[in-house]
Amino acid sequence: MTLVKVTRPRVPSLVDDMFRSFFDEPAHSIKDTWRPAMDVKELEKTYEIHFSMPGFKKDEIHVSMNNNTLSIRGEHSQEHEEKGEYLYREIAYGTFERSLYLPDNVEEGKIDANFADGILHVSIAKKKAALPKEIEVKVK
């Protein structure tokens, strides 16, 4: 009996693709590839929005509200260029902008923005008419 060895063509995996492109990927600006990840919570009296912005400084972040649209802009600049060539870079520098349309029940004048430990916390108050109202149940 003769055994025949069957070979299948090798299918590249995601890991193979990653290593193949490791040295070929150019560095990109934040505007092209990045925007801060966010979490949005609706609480009884506020909307709480958290943006993940590691490495940013307070002065690099700008928050504005216009016509129920919350806009977050930022510019992350490289402090100094290091000598030598990088083999690979993923840390991006440049500008970004992210906008979030909010419902009509927000108080545009009651917004707090705090930045700590790479997280931007934005709290927006709801209008009083939008707050839930407890209705008493009576027994007759």
Side-chain angles (χ1 to χ4, degrees):
M1 175 188 245
T2 306
L3 294 176
V4 177
K5 184 176 181 182
V6 178
T7 59
R8 289 185 233 167
R10 189 169 177 281
V11 178
S13 70
L14 292 175
V15 174
D16 292 332
D17 290 342
M18 180 186 75
F19 282 112
R20 193 173 311 112
S21 67
F22 185 76
F23 295 105
D24 297 334
E25 290 186 13
H28 298 287
S29 72
I30 287 176
K31 191 172 188 177
D32 294 336
T33 60
W34 187 83
R35 63 183 189 164
M38 75 175 169
D39 292 336
V40 180
K41 289 193 290 189
E42 181 177 4
L43 302 177
E44 184 178 340
K45 296 181 180 183
T46 62
Y47 289 99
E48 302 293 325
I49 307 168
H50 300 155
F51 295 90
S52 177
M53 303 176 74
F56 277 77
K57 297 176 183 156
K58 176 189 163 290
D59 296 341
E60 295 177 320
I61 302 167
H62 306 279
V63 179
S64 63
M65 179 78 135
N66 187 20
N67 294 326
N68 286 24
T69 301
L70 176 71
S71 295
I72 308 296
R73 290 183 302 106
E75 182 171 352
H76 191 46
S77 55
Q78 190 173 8
E79 291 186 18
H80 62 281
E81 182 65 35
E82 296 177 12
K83 294 189 181 203
E85 291 194 24
Y86 289 92
L87 296 177
Y88 185 73
R89 283 188 87 171
E90 286 188 347
I91 299 173
Y93 298 92
T95 60
F96 77 89
E97 185 167 348
R98 182 148 195 196
S99 296
L100 178 64
Y101 183 76
L102 297 169
D104 291 332
N105 66 344
V106 298
E107 288 279 352
E108 286 197 20
K110 293 186 179 179
I111 301 173
D112 288 321
N114 298 293
F115 186 67
D117 299 326
I119 304 292
L120 174 64
H121 304 269
V122 179
S123 180
I124 306 168
K126 292 181 180 179
K127 292 179 180 176
K128 291 190 182 205
L131 296 177
K133 187 175 182 180
E134 190 70 30
I135 308 297
E136 180 184 350
V137 177
K138 298 176 185 173
V139 178
K140 290 188 177 187

